[in-house]
Amino acid sequence: MVVDESSDETVDRLFHALADATRRDIVRRCVRAELSVSRLAEAYPMSFAAVQKHVAVLERAGLVTKQRSGREQLVRTDPDAVGRAHRALDALASAWRGRVDRMARLLAEDPGREENDPTEGSER
Amino acid sequence: MVVDESSDETVDRLFHALADATRRDIVRRCVRAELSVSRLAEAYPMSFAAVQKHVAVLERAGLVTKQRSGREQLVRTDPDAVGRAHRALDALASAWRGRVDRMARLLAEDPGREENDPTEGSER
DNA sequence: CTCATCTACAACCATTTGGTTGTACGTTAA
DNA sequence: TTAACGTACAACCAAATGGTTGTAGATGAG
């Protein structure tokens, strides 16, 4: 049950998880080091249970994973997660993005020959 | 009033706006064509007022703009919006990717050849 | 063993969200 | 002018969110 990375509900969970400053901060912290939920909770002005819930949201979104180590639960940001978010954004506006990228490049490098309609270009 | 593109609340609004399939679809549709709110509403199994609210959420997040044309209100996806979302993601995991560090070093040591767009480079 | 620590989870609460309907107002067409 | 259309907005509602406290189960230290 791989759940298809680009299904609506998957993308919903992904962006929803990112739509909170505390959760983004957790992701940031756990990129560099594995931290127990208790350690994380010390960093925020809220209860342990609240942080636990935030971690659960991130986990369901696939942004972090938990690994048991003794009595602690170590949280780690999934290295692929940000890439997945990027791909979701690209899928969102890929047609437009191809056009704008090309326009930007043309304007920057070689102004004067923009006559190819790129409305349906790069799928990267 | 520029509101600082990377403030917590700005990013909150951005990702929250993207965390709904209907809203993502509106963004997708209005990338290619300006559509009135009524036209948009026809596409979804919900009331006009509901679509109106979705558009309002997208507008507060800076993802779309509305422009009056007669009695219609035309909705258009902001060309910069997806770029802003990309940048927010990059800022989130820059430490892990080492991207910002590398960019900083390049800019410091060898200013003038930053022409390899790093927003679209390494994927793992 | 005993105690402190870390986690899990339930119950509860206030606020927000996503939807509805209804009303009012400006604009275009007949 | 009148009727139809497109929009704005308020009031309302159910469900989800984000927080709390409290209780209970594992695990490690002394």
Side-chain angles (χ1 to χ4, degrees):
Chain A
M1 186 211 185
V2 189
V3 193
D4 179 10
E5 141 174 333
S6 61
S7 86
D8 274 354
E9 289 181 358
T10 301
V11 180
D12 283 3
R13 277 193 289 267
L14 183 58
F15 284 126
H16 171 254
L18 290 172
D20 180 281
T22 300
R23 287 195 289 262
R24 287 194 300 275
D25 195 69
I26 292 176
V27 168
R28 236 175 270 126
R29 285 173 191 265
C30 297
V31 159
R32 6 186 51 138
E34 292 182 320
L35 293 172
S36 70
V37 183
S38 300
R39 246 7 100 93
L40 277 172
E42 292 170 6
Y44 307 104
M46 65 186 73
S47 68
F48 170 81
V51 174
Q52 223 178 2
K53 285 190 186 182
H54 281 305
V55 171
V57 170
L58 290 168
E59 200 181 10
R60 274 190 299 124
L63 281 162
V64 306
T65 55
K66 287 196 297 187
Q67 189 194 354
R68 183 131 232 143
S69 166
R71 62 181 163 187
E72 294 184 332
Q73 194 84 263
L74 299 182
V75 181
R76 215 182 83 209
T77 296
D78 180 350
D80 292 336
V82 179
R84 261 180 288 132
H86 268 278
R87 260 172 277 138
L89 281 177
D90 288 341
L92 188 65
S94 55
W96 163 79
R97 199 169 154 62
R99 181 176 28 168
V100 168
D101 279 358
R102 247 178 276 188
M103 274 178 52
R105 225 172 300 135
L106 284 168
L107 288 175
E109 298 182 354
D110 194 3
R113 44 196 290 279
E114 68 294 340
E115 214 36 82
N116 50 352
D117 174 3
T119 338
E120 214 50 41
S122 72
E123 204 62 23
R124 193 264 189 181
Chain B
M1 190 208 189
V2 189
V3 194
D4 181 11
E5 139 175 335
S6 61
S7 87
D8 274 353
E9 289 181 358
T10 301
V11 180
D12 283 4
R13 277 194 289 266
L14 183 58
F15 284 126
H16 171 253
L18 291 172
D20 180 281
T22 300
R23 288 195 289 263
R24 288 194 299 275
D25 195 69
I26 292 176
V27 167
R28 236 175 272 126
R29 285 173 190 265
C30 296
V31 158
R32 2 188 56 138
E34 293 181 319
L35 293 173
S36 70
V37 183
S38 299
R39 246 6 98 106
L40 278 172
E42 293 170 4
Y44 308 103
M46 65 186 72
S47 68
F48 169 82
V51 175
Q52 223 177 2
K53 284 189 185 180
H54 281 305
V55 171
V57 169
L58 290 169
E59 201 179 11
R60 274 190 297 126
L63 280 163
V64 306
T65 55
K66 287 196 297 187
Q67 188 194 353
R68 183 129 233 146
S69 166
R71 63 184 162 184
E72 294 185 331
Q73 194 83 265
L74 299 181
V75 180
R76 216 182 82 209
T77 296
D78 180 350
D80 292 337
V82 179
R84 260 180 289 133
H86 270 276
R87 259 172 277 138
L89 282 177
D90 288 340
L92 188 66
S94 57
W96 166 66
R97 299 198 160 198
R99 185 179 284 168
V100 163
D101 292 340
R102 244 172 294 176
M103 275 177 53
R105 223 173 304 133
L106 282 171
L107 290 175
E109 294 183 347
D110 197 2
R113 46 190 294 279
E114 67 285 357
E115 211 37 80
N116 49 350
D117 174 356
T119 2
E120 214 53 37
S122 71
E123 204 60 22
R124 63 84 82 77

